[in-house]
Amino acid sequence: AAKARGKGCFQIFENRMHELLLDKLDAEGRLRDAVHRGELRLHLQPVVALPGRAVGGVEALVRWQDPERGLQQPGAFIPLAEETGLIAEIDRWVLFEACMTVRRWQELDPAAAPAWVSVNLSAVELEVPDLTDRVAYALSTTGLSPQCLVLELTETVLMRDVAVTSARLEELRELGVKIAIDDFGTGYSSLGYLRDIPVDVLKVDRSFITDIVGNPRQQELVSAVIQLGHTLGLKVVVEGIETEDQLTLLTAIGCRYAQGYYLGRPEPVAALIERTTTGSET
Ligand code: C2E
Ligand code: MG
Ligand code: MG
Ligand code: MG
C-alpha cells in the first residue's frame, strides 16, 4: 500500500513539474513577444536635490503591460528575462527609450526637464562586447548629451572580475557617461572596489533607510557612507524615502540627493511632466 501511495505521489509530483515547465515556457514566449509587440513601458522616478527638492534627474524603470495580467513590475519578469537572455533586448529598449524621452523633454522645457536619466543594466550586460557601441549609438541617435546619462550597476556585478569590469567602465566613461553603484551596501561591499573601479555615483540601498528614524546606529552608518562618498568626489543618492521624518533626518545628516515614494513615485513621462510643470507654477 505504501508503495502504491509513493507511486501516486510521484505521479502528482511529475504532473506538477510538467505544469510548471509549461507555465514557464508560456511566460517566456509571452515575454519574448512583449518586446516586439510594444508592450514594454517606461516609467520615470524623480531623484531630487536636497534641501530644495528640485528634480535633479530621473531613474528609468521598466514595466510590462501584459494584455493578460495587466501592468507587471520588474520583479515579476526581470528574473525570467535574465534567465532566458531576453534581458539584453529589454535593457536595450529601455536605454533607447529613456535617452529619447529625456532628450525630448529637455528640448520641450529645458528649465524643468531633468538634468540626467539613469538606466539600470543587468549583470550580463557588462559581458556583452558591444555595450559601449550600443550606448554610443543610443546617444548619437537621440541626441542626448553623454553627461546626461547614468548607467546603474549593482555591487555584485562590479565585483565579478575587477579587471574586465574596470576596463569596460573606463570605455563607457570615455564616452562621457556616468556610472552609478546601485543598492550600495547590500552586496559584498568592499572598499577595494571603490578604489579600483571608476564610479561617479553611489546609491545607498533603501534597506538602510527603512528603520533609520529612532535608530542612531543606522544614522551614523548612513552618515558615514554619505561622507565617504562625498570625500571621494562622488554624488550620493539615498533611495527609498517614504516619510517626511526620513527626509528631515537625511537632510540633517548631509544627504544631497534622494529618491523615494515620498518624493515621487515612478510614473509614465506624461504624468511626470504634468506634475513638474504644475509644481513649478505653485
Ligand atoms: P532599483 O534599480 O534599485 O530601483 C528602485 C526600485 O525601488 C524600484 O522598483 C522603485 O519603484 C522602488 N522604489 C523607489 N522608491 C521607493 C520607496 O520609497 N519605497 C519602496 N518600497 N520602493 C521604492 P521597481 O521599479 O519595481 O524595480 C525593481 C528593480 O528592478 C530595480 O531596482 C532594478 O534592479 C530592476 N529594474 C527596473 N527596471 C529595469 C531595467 O530596465 N533593466 C534592468 N536590468 N533592471 C531593471
Ligand atoms: Mg536602479
Ligand atoms: Mg536602486
Ligand atoms: Mg534598490
Side-chain angles (χ1 to χ4, degrees):
K3 225 177 185 177
R5 211 179 321 131
K7 207 174 168 202
C9 285
F10 184 72
Q11 194 59 54
I12 291 167
F13 173 74
E14 219 179 23
N15 291 345
R16 185 75 194 116
M17 286 304 284
H18 191 65
E19 260 171 45
L20 286 175
L21 183 66
L22 288 180
D23 280 356
K24 200 170 157 190
L25 286 174
D26 180 50
E28 187 186 337
R30 287 188 297 115
L31 184 56
R32 195 178 297 277
D33 291 343
V35 185
H36 306 117
R37 287 199 195 129
E39 292 167 8
L40 296 182
R41 298 287 178 269
L42 181 74
H43 282 200
L44 299 172
Q45 184 180 31
V47 177
V48 309
L50 298 180
R53 297 200 206 178
V55 174
V58 286
E59 177 171 5
L61 295 160
V62 71
R63 270 87 181 105
W64 172 18
Q65 187 65 57
D66 183 346
E68 283 178 31
R69 292 176 304 171
L71 193 70
Q72 302 291 303
Q73 304 295 314
F77 63 95
I78 294 274
L80 180 65
E82 286 181 332
E83 214 178 298
T84 54
L86 287 170
I87 191 69
E89 238 175 304
I90 295 177
D91 280 358
R92 201 171 313 179
W93 182 87
V94 173
L95 174 68
F96 196 88
E97 194 72 13
C99 291
M100 190 174 68
T101 303
V102 169
R103 168 66 177 156
R104 282 195 187 148
W105 191 351
Q106 289 176 339
E107 281 176 328
L108 190 77
D109 190 352
W116 76 84
V117 57
S118 57
V119 172
N120 294 283
L121 288 186
S122 169
V124 294
E125 298 300 306
L126 275 190
E127 284 152 27
V128 175
D130 70 343
L131 176 66
T132 309
D133 291 343
R134 265 186 2 213
V135 172
Y137 177 80
L139 290 169
S140 63
T141 316
T142 61
L144 185 76
S145 158
Q147 294 88 267
C148 298
L149 180 63
V150 182
L151 300 174
E152 296 193 2
L153 293 149
T154 61
E155 279 172 317
T156 3
V157 176
L158 296 177
M159 292 197 62
R160 277 181 161 187
D161 178 340
V162 173
V164 173
T165 306
S166 14
R168 190 50 56 80
L169 296 185
E170 214 35 85
E171 263 175 43
L172 287 164
R173 286 172 98 226
E174 274 165 26
L175 295 178
V177 307
K178 306 250 181 322
I179 307 294
I181 303 183
D182 204 357
D183 304 341
F184 185 75
T186 57
Y188 301 92
S189 304
S190 144
L191 292 179
Y193 77 90
L194 283 184
R195 177 195 60 202
D196 300 328
I197 292 182
V199 296
D200 308 280
V201 182
L202 288 188
K203 297 192 76 176
V204 180
D205 192 68
R206 72 163 184 269
S207 57
F208 292 95
I209 310 309
T210 316
D211 60 349
I212 198 169
V213 174
N215 188 339
R217 202 177 154 80
Q218 192 82 330
Q219 286 162 28
E220 291 299 342
L221 186 66
V222 172
S223 163
V225 171
I226 292 172
Q227 300 323 315
L228 173 71
H230 290 168
T231 305
L232 294 174
L234 309 178
K235 187 176 269 186
V236 182
V237 179
V238 172
E239 299 185 302
I241 308 279
E242 293 184 348
T243 68
E244 170 92 57
D245 286 352
Q246 288 170 342
L247 183 66
T248 307
L249 200 148
L250 282 156
T251 309
I253 62 179
C255 173
R256 292 186 204 149
Y257 292 95
Q259 185 177 353
Y261 292 164
Y262 182 72
L263 298 160
R265 288 187 174 253
E267 292 182 294
V269 66
L272 197 57
I273 288 181
E274 195 165 320
R275 189 178 315 286
T276 320
T277 313
T278 323
S280 63
E281 279 166 2
T282 51

